[in-house]
Amino acid sequence: MRVFKNKPFARFARKARITDAVLCAAIADATRGLIDADLGGGVVKQRIARNGGGKSGGFRTIILFRVGERAFFVHGFAKNEQDNIRDDELAAFRLVAAEMLAYDDEALAKAIGNGTLTEVMCND
């Protein structure tokens, strides 16, 4: 399974000190069916623990997810900074999910090449 993060999420993860290994663990959980919230249309919300803390007070991530194929981390926020995503944000994420989950290898290579996406290396 290929895992990616977009540029804004990569910036968020760097500032929050969320490592690629933590992102891979979140995808491994989701692959096993341990999804915190399936928001429909290929969009899931997954909780990630803060360093030295638990998931309940940690971070929330929005992932465009298709089991066994690919996952895109596209949005992250701390629970204490934002309660949840708005309905209009969810609609936008669903539109983006429809487009990005349909990317072929050429489109992925182009997005990686221009810096829009970064591939997260997980040891499957």
Side-chain angles (χ1 to χ4, degrees):
M1 176 158 189
R2 294 182 73 184
V3 179
F4 303 90
K5 54 187 172 183
N6 67 4
K7 199 178 226 177
F9 184 87
R11 191 176 314 113
F12 163 78
R14 188 174 49 254
K15 286 180 182 178
R17 290 186 226 119
I18 300 171
T19 65
D20 284 356
V22 171
L23 299 179
C24 290
I27 294 302
D29 286 349
T31 301
R32 289 192 310 272
L34 303 173
I35 294 174
D36 291 318
D38 186 343
L39 304 176
V43 180
V44 298
K45 181 170 72 171
Q46 195 74 329
R47 297 183 306 171
I48 293 179
R50 285 186 188 269
N51 242 349
K55 285 185 178 182
S56 65
F59 301 107
R60 305 299 186 257
T61 60
I62 301 298
I63 307 168
L64 312 180
F65 184 72
R66 182 162 293 142
V67 177
E69 290 183 32
R70 58 182 65 125
F72 299 92
F73 285 90
V74 294
H75 183 62
F77 56 96
K79 182 164 189 247
N80 63 354
E81 293 174 5
Q82 181 178 346
D83 212 20
N84 214 338
I85 60 171
R86 299 182 316 266
D87 289 341
D88 61 325
E89 290 174 314
L90 177 56
F93 286 133
R94 286 180 179 155
L95 288 173
V96 173
E99 181 181 331
M100 292 180 75
L101 291 172
Y103 278 5
D104 59 11
D105 289 339
E106 185 179 328
L108 286 171
K110 184 178 179 183
I112 292 168
N114 68 24
T116 304
L117 293 176
T118 304
E119 189 159 8
V120 177
M121 295 301 168
C122 297
N123 298 328
D124 291 317

